Amino acid sequence: MLTASARHALSRPAFAPSTLCARRAVSAWAKVPAGPPDPILGVTEKFKADKSPKKINLGVGAYRDGNGKPYVLPTVLKAEEIVFNAKLDKEYLPITGLASFTKLAAELAYGKDSKPLVEDRLAITQSISGTGALRIGTAFLARFYPGAKAIYLPTPTWGNHIPIAKDSGLEVKQYKYFNKETVGLDFEGMKADIKAAPEGSIIMLHACAHNPTGIDPTEAQWKELSEIVKEKKHFPFFDMAYQGFASGDILKDAFAVRYFVEQGHQLLLSQSFAKNMGLYGERVGAVSFVCADKEEKARVDSQLKIIVRPLYSNPPVHGARLVSTILSSPELYDEWLVEVKGMADRIIAMRSKLYDTLVRLDTPGEWGHIKSQIGMFSYTGLKPEQVDALAEKAHVYLTRDGRISMAGLNDSNVEYFAESVSKAVKGTL
């Protein structure tokens, strides 16, 4: 039989309530600050919450067909059937990826007859899309670039460029690119800033379809930039996420990269197959380094493996097999060229319709940049308060810097969007 003192001891809780509360309040993550919301995801969330049948989402950078639906390329569907019927295994890929994929990706970017390929001095690894390519490239530069560990980015640039570079250990600096007054390229400012950068600086360049402005240098301007970069002994780092998708011509879109290589630049290139093959969720990309010779290529390859191994060990296989299947089949390759041109042409057609409607509605301002810009995105020149009005009163969603994804427009909504923009600019929305 328990004594009175024993019964009293058993009736008490193991820990006093105040002690339990104190223990619950002390979390390992108690002092983690809330990060800023992603501006594009925020636009999508507001769009999804909107119940209006007229709502339009122009924030997301993914292609949509003429009905506003996600588009899977017919060649991708055919490639999937071929891969499925081949009954391939699911073994790990090598650290640098699927060899047939990296070979074909390099040929697509540089051209089969490019000297670095012919002379076997191109180091290349498969990556987790363009973001992964950029991360590998910046990590490599942070470890091994002999010059200053700083990278010059255009103003503005793709939002992810900055955190990728910073997280890899590079200091981020900027050069002029966009002229707000003309809604065009500030070429003189761009040249001046690149010239003013210390000799041997790393210069990030968008190969085509500059994101977010949609404004590219002309071929003549690219040639001038090549001379400046060579004169200053700068290191060019090209980001090519839209080859073929920008103009509909894979050769035209690769002009800058190929010209710089022809001129002897030892460049670094990031590639993505998200846009031009619609393989957004497959995460297929590549990063390549033009080396001086085969021996240097072997050393660069060895260090790429050391960077990749602790990041994700090796890349996913399915998307790489799809790209390899399409690029290695003459029939599928030709079909893909037609498909990618079709996507580009639809966006170009939307640019023309938007411009024509804005002009017909006597919208204040000059809107020629809508047609002259290229690729998925357009910098409209709309002010933040006009963007806010479009969301609140017209159910049209875009980022507050006025950037729109042209792929979100189609024959069913372009007229309504143009009318809404015209009213927002006039202040009558």
Side-chain angles (χ1 to χ4, degrees):
M1 188 172 184
L2 292 173
T3 63
S5 59
R7 286 197 301 269
H8 177 68
L10 289 172
S11 66
R12 289 181 302 183
F15 297 99
S18 58
T19 306
L20 281 174
C21 290
R23 289 199 174 189
R24 290 192 187 111
V26 180
S27 167
W29 321 124
K31 294 185 179 180
V32 175
D38 185 283
I40 296 174
L41 293 180
V43 168
T44 301
E45 287 170 5
K46 291 178 182 178
F47 169 79
K48 288 180 177 179
D50 193 326
K51 304 302 180 185
S52 172
K54 291 184 176 181
K55 67 179 181 178
I56 305 174
N57 184 4
L58 301 178
V60 179
Y63 183 78
R64 296 291 180 263
D65 65 16
N67 297 312
K69 303 296 183 183
Y71 177 60
V72 180
L73 275 63
T75 48
V76 169
L77 294 175
K78 290 178 181 179
E80 285 191 318
E81 186 175 356
I82 291 170
V83 170
F84 176 78
N85 289 333
K87 298 292 189 283
L88 301 171
D89 61 47
K90 300 295 182 181
E91 292 294 301
Y92 292 124
L93 284 178
I95 295 174
T96 53
L98 187 67
S100 61
F101 163 75
T102 53
K103 175 181 180 295
L104 292 163
E107 290 176 355
L108 183 70
Y110 295 92
K112 288 184 179 180
D113 299 328
S114 180
K115 279 189 176 181
L117 274 68
V118 173
E119 296 170 2
D120 192 22
R121 54 184 177 87
L122 186 80
I124 183 168
T125 182
Q126 183 182 331
S127 63
I128 300 177
S129 203
T131 300
L134 290 163
R135 184 57 188 260
I136 294 168
T138 51
F140 191 94
L141 291 171
R143 293 186 188 189
F144 301 108
Y145 187 63
K149 301 296 195 293
I151 186 167
Y152 285 77
L153 305 175
T155 305
T157 192
W158 180 46
N160 221 10
H161 278 153
I162 296 170
I164 288 170
K166 286 183 175 179
D167 283 359
S168 294
L170 295 178
E171 181 185 358
V172 171
K173 297 186 177 182
Q174 295 178 308
Y175 61 84
K176 295 182 185 71
Y177 193 87
F178 180 66
N179 186 324
K180 289 183 179 180
E181 300 301 317
T182 63
V183 197
L185 178 66
D186 182 2
F187 189 56
E188 293 305 314
M190 180 184 186
K191 289 192 298 180
D193 284 354
I194 293 175
K195 284 180 180 178
E199 186 174 282
S201 295
I202 303 167
I203 310 293
M204 168 69 75
L205 299 163
H206 295 228
C208 59
H210 179 274
N211 180 2
T213 68
I215 302 162
D216 289 346
T218 63
E219 290 190 359
Q221 289 172 331
W222 276 121
K223 290 180 179 180
E224 198 171 342
L225 287 170
S226 171
E227 286 302 313
I228 294 170
V229 170
K230 184 181 291 185
E231 179 185 330
K232 291 288 302 200
K233 297 182 174 62
H234 291 330
F235 184 85
F237 184 171
F238 277 96
D239 184 4
M240 186 159 65
Y242 297 92
Q243 187 183 4
F245 192 93
S247 67
D249 184 335
I250 61 167
L251 300 180
K252 183 177 181 180
D253 291 348
F255 172 81
V257 171
R258 296 186 180 193
Y259 182 79
F260 270 60
V261 171
E262 287 170 7
Q263 296 305 304
H265 292 278
Q266 191 172 13
L267 58 80
L268 194 167
L269 173 67
S270 164
Q271 284 176 270
S272 168
F273 289 88
K275 306 295 192 299
N276 59 13
M277 286 194 182
L279 297 174
Y280 302 97
E282 298 292 355
R283 314 307 292 146
V284 196
V287 61
S288 52
F289 297 70
V290 174
C291 300
D293 50 45
K294 291 176 68 173
E295 188 273 334
E296 183 175 277
K297 171 197 168 183
R299 286 186 283 110
V300 171
D301 271 334
S302 71
Q303 292 296 339
L304 286 174
K305 292 174 184 176
I306 290 171
I307 289 173
V308 169
R309 178 64 170 151
L311 279 176
Y312 53 84
S313 198
N314 42 59
V317 67
H318 185 66
R321 282 173 173 166
L322 296 180
V323 175
S324 182
T325 300
I326 292 169
L327 296 183
S328 64
S329 163
E331 181 181 349
L332 288 180
Y333 179 75
D334 288 344
E335 288 180 29
W336 171 67
L337 292 179
V338 173
E339 291 166 2
V340 75
K341 186 177 189 304
M343 291 190 288
D345 286 349
R346 194 189 81 74
I347 288 177
I348 292 169
M350 286 301 105
R351 289 184 179 277
S352 293
K353 288 187 178 183
L354 176 57
Y355 169 79
D356 291 344
T357 308
L358 288 171
V359 171
R360 177 169 53 80
L361 295 170
D362 293 321
T363 309
E366 206 291 311
W367 297 93
H369 57 276
I370 297 291
K371 288 203 299 183
S372 63
Q373 292 170 3
I374 193 169
M376 181 172 287
F377 300 107
S378 175
Y379 244 33
T380 60
L382 291 170
K383 299 174 182 177
E385 58 269 24
Q386 293 168 337
V387 172
D388 293 341
L390 284 168
E392 294 166 9
K393 299 179 180 180
H395 312 281
V396 174
Y397 297 89
L398 54 146
T399 52
R400 294 191 82 239
D401 57 6
R403 187 202 80 163
I404 62 172
S405 172
M406 293 300 303
L409 295 177
N410 54 61
D411 290 332
S412 300
N413 64 20
V414 66
E415 185 89 12
Y416 174 71
F417 174 67
E419 290 172 356
S420 300
V421 167
S422 187
K423 289 176 183 178
V425 173
K426 293 173 183 175
T428 61
L429 190 61

